[in-house]
Amino acid sequence: SNYLKQTVWSPLSNYIDLAFQYAHEADPNVKLFYNDYSAEGMSAKANAVYDMVKSMKNRGIPIHGVGLQCHFTSSYAPSFADITANINRLVALGLEVHITEFDYAITGTSQEAQQGTFYNNLLNLCLQISGCKSFQAWGFTEKDTWLCSDKLPL
């Protein structure tokens, strides 16, 4: 699909299938997840991820879940309705959903309440959907963040 970054593996049209198949052969007991960013809501990329994992399930490719990275900012985040709809449709495929790298960047302390409310609402959304099995924040403090320290991600 055109949303995938070009890599050394891209010439193999089925490289993602092969990766999941080989990982399953190496350890049939491990849960295998596809993890990506900007696929949290109901965007074109989220639709492409959904179509890909649905196709994988239909073709018998071993996949157990989808990780949603959830890198949001005070000026960008999908609606909670869209996040809920996306998680529900992935769960309906029999997949687990993990929030894998949540952060919500703000540019100043005046937005801390907004940040806290969003964090609370996303965590509660995950807790209310039985197939949403994990909620992980990216980094623990601003000291350990992948974002610039002025973005106050947590």
Side-chain angles (χ1 to χ4, degrees), residues 17 21 49-64 89-90 92-95:
D17 290 354
Q21 289 168 328
V49 169
Y50 173 80
D51 290 343
M52 180 184 74
V53 298
K54 180 179 180 181
S55 173
M56 290 171 73
K57 291 280 290 182
N58 289 341
R59 293 179 290 113
I61 304 298
I63 182 168
H64 303 97
R89 70 180 177 167
L90 292 166
L93 294 175
L95 298 169

Side-chain angles (χ1 to χ4, degrees), residues 48-127:
V49 169
Y50 173 80
D51 290 343
M52 180 184 74
V53 298
K54 180 179 180 181
S55 173
M56 290 171 73
K57 291 280 290 182
N58 289 341
R59 293 179 290 113
I61 304 298
I63 182 168
H64 303 97
V66 173
L68 302 175
Q69 292 183 12
C70 297
H71 299 297
F72 302 139
T73 70
S74 57
S75 60
Y76 164 75
S79 71
F80 285 106
D82 282 355
I83 296 169
T84 301
N86 192 34
I87 292 174
N88 281 330
R89 70 180 177 167
L90 292 166
V91 169
L93 294 175
L95 298 169
E96 289 184 17
V97 174
H98 291 193
I99 305 298
T100 58
E101 301 178 20
F102 173 63
D103 53 61
Y104 186 88
I106 58 174
T107 55
T109 56
S110 65
Q111 296 175 314
E112 285 177 343
Q114 174 187 353
Q115 181 186 49
T117 298
F118 194 94
Y119 195 108
N120 179 66
N121 291 344
L122 185 61
L123 175 59
N124 282 320
L125 182 156
C126 183
L127 290 171

